[in-house]
Amino acid sequence: MCRAVFLLALTVLVCPAAEALDNGLALKPTMGWLHWERFMCNTDCYKDPNNCISERLYMQMADVMVKEGWKEAGYEYVCIDDCWPSHQRDAKGRLQADPKRFPGGIKKLADYVHSKGLKLGIYADIVGKTCAGYPGSLGYYETDAQTFADWDVDLLKFDGCYMDWKLLGEGYMNMSRALNKTGRSILYSCEWPLYEWPQKQPDYKAIRETCNHWRNFDDVYDSWSSIKSILDWTASHQDIIAPSAGPGGWNDPDMLVIGNFGLSHDQQEDICPRSKKLLQNTDIIAISQDPLGKQGQCTIKVDSFEVWERPLSKKRLAIAVLNTQEIGGPRGFFIRAAPGWKICEPQCNVTQILPQYKELGVQTPHTKLVVSVNPSGTTLLTVTPTSDYAGLIL
């Protein structure tokens, strides 16, 4: 989250304007681990036992999340993506895990994850087969929802591959009702707008009433161009997507890709001690999980800089300054050019969170403070007014 990747986390935090799905979940953005971007659909446990989709992978990840401080930092969910099931349902029409890769079954895996104080997520698809060709849930919504509840699953990622876009809303709402009918609290992650946007503007009021969070745009890849495309799409559509989300239902810009193969250190930081420190940074996580629940939005683009601002509780403001240039050295940005800087009236206290923590002291509306931002990097600040005036931020 140190560089532009942080902005992906910032953008999921949006202001409540519509009634949320009433299941009491996702009052703050979900934090956890999902297998897809790194392990994809690797099912060859004979040739690649350490990287295949199997119960061993998720048990190991649960162990790591506890042992290495991820749970303590707030990461809560261990999530299975596609390619976990058998290619056939059982005699009662229920989904079943691949018996070779998940010999103990999903219930045993859920028990193990829960024993670590974590929660388990699982994957299914709205139509008759998943994106990777495994059994989907069409015609089995209530059966699958009850199966997941019987297994003590805590989150469902419900994909939308191959579905007629005109039937997406009906399908997602039907599964939402089926999950609620089970009586178990299962966080519901949807792909509804992702598959509807190519045809029409989705109904975000209905989506918020149906899902706890939802994907809007393309899958993220291990590349700076992929991250930029998600940021650009989010900025250009923020007036549409922001008003429909907040505590209980969130826009989902896809996974953080810190620790993967395709980005430079300044764009991601691979999972080395430096990256681990970044992802477990309590100041960044506090911004992500701030109880006010209002979105970070792009408020200005100027001179190859983007400014993203997010109102925080206690009348504070987070400001992320992105240098969009990919050449040259660090560049200076006059922080008073940020639209939200008007909260610094008559004065404010400024703290730099990234790239290094630094107290920048008391500032005024006419400050000469310049922050340095690396190429394709982000400098992150929090601003705390020292008077009662907070003004309108966005």
Side-chain angles (χ1 to χ4, degrees), residues 101-358:
R101 294 182 286 115
F102 294 84
I106 301 299
K107 178 63 170 68
K108 178 183 176 182
L109 178 58
D111 290 344
Y112 186 87
V113 170
H114 293 157
S115 75
K116 302 294 181 179
L118 300 167
K119 296 180 179 180
L120 182 69
I122 205 164
Y123 171 99
D125 197 287
I126 192 172
V127 77
K129 61 180 178 179
T130 71
C131 298
Y134 290 82
S137 292
L138 186 63
Y140 294 92
Y141 291 158
E142 291 195 1
T143 298
D144 290 354
Q146 189 60 54
T147 298
F148 299 146
D150 293 343
W151 288 342
D152 291 338
V153 166
D154 304 292
L155 178 152
L156 172 63
K157 175 184 173 180
F158 206 43
D159 214 334
C161 285
Y162 312 119
M163 187 64 159
D164 182 339
W165 71 270
K166 300 182 185 70
L167 303 177
L168 283 167
E170 178 183 352
Y172 278 105
M173 288 187 280
N174 285 340
M175 179 54 90
S176 184
R177 287 189 284 266
L179 291 171
N180 285 340
K181 185 178 177 181
T182 68
R184 179 169 178 78
S185 295
I186 299 178
L187 193 150
Y188 188 33
S189 176
C190 300
E191 312 272 295
W192 178 352
L194 169 66
Y195 291 100
E196 197 163 87
W197 264 113
Q199 306 298 330
K200 69 168 188 175
Q201 179 175 313
D203 181 352
Y204 278 93
K205 180 177 183 297
I207 292 167
R208 176 173 172 81
E209 292 170 350
T210 301
C211 310
N212 290 119
H213 43 78
W214 47 87
R215 284 276 308 285
N216 292 301
F217 189 59
D218 293 346
D219 289 352
V220 68
Y221 288 89
D222 283 352
S223 73
W224 177 230
S225 62
S226 174
I227 292 173
K228 285 199 303 180
S229 71
I230 295 172
L231 290 174
D232 290 344
W233 189 94
T234 301
S236 64
H237 292 79
Q238 62 188 15
D239 290 344
I240 298 171
I241 66 175
S244 60
W250 307 95
N251 288 299
D252 176 3
D254 209 1
M255 296 167 283
L256 296 172
V257 290
I258 298 172
N260 289 321
F261 296 110
L263 303 174
S264 73
H265 268 291
D266 216 45
Q267 294 164 352
Q268 57 93 23
E269 323 271 334
D270 56 12
I271 292 294
C272 56
R274 183 181 176 190
S275 291
K276 182 179 177 181
K277 183 178 179 181
L278 174 67
L279 282 167
Q280 294 183 0
N281 185 307
T282 56
D283 294 309
I284 298 174
I285 292 172
I287 292 172
S288 166
Q289 302 290 293
D290 186 82
L292 187 63
K294 289 190 176 181
Q295 177 172 344
Q297 297 190 43
C298 184
T299 55
I300 191 172
K301 296 183 180 183
V302 58
D303 191 25
S304 297
F305 286 105
E306 292 182 8
V307 176
W308 293 72
E309 300 177 334
R310 181 181 183 232
L312 304 174
S313 57
K314 300 180 182 179
K315 300 180 180 180
R316 297 171 299 133
L317 179 70
I319 301 177
V321 182
L322 168 64
N323 178 0
T324 62
Q325 286 192 358
E326 300 179 42
I327 192 171
R331 301 170 60 228
F333 180 82
F334 280 97
I335 195 61
R336 68 171 183 254
W341 189 252
K342 60 191 174 186
I343 73 165
C344 195
E345 174 68 54
Q347 61 184 23
C348 59
N349 189 69
V350 180
T351 302
Q352 178 178 290
I353 307 300
L354 295 173
Q356 295 89 28
Y357 185 92
K358 187 188 304 182

Side-chain angles (χ1 to χ4, degrees), residues 43-46 49 52-57 83-87 96-105:
T43 59
D44 192 342
C45 293
Y46 177 76
C52 68
I53 307 308
S54 67
E55 65 183 24
R56 175 184 176 184
L57 176 67
C83 306
W84 65 269
S86 168
H87 282 284
Q96 53 187 343
D98 183 281
K100 292 183 179 179
R101 294 182 286 115
F102 294 84

Side-chain angles (χ1 to χ4, degrees), residues 32-33 58 61-62 65 76-80 113 118-121:
W33 177 85
Y58 304 102
M61 187 53 59
M65 287 177 68
E76 184 178 17
Y77 289 87
V78 178
C79 295
I80 305 168
V113 170
L118 300 167
K119 296 180 179 180
L120 182 69

Side-chain angles (χ1 to χ4, degrees), residues 24-42:
L25 301 175
L27 299 182
K28 296 179 180 179
T30 305
M31 295 177 62
W33 177 85
L34 178 69
H35 93 243
W36 185 258
E37 207 279 338
R38 173 60 65 86
F39 299 96
M40 300 187 71
C41 194
N42 181 358

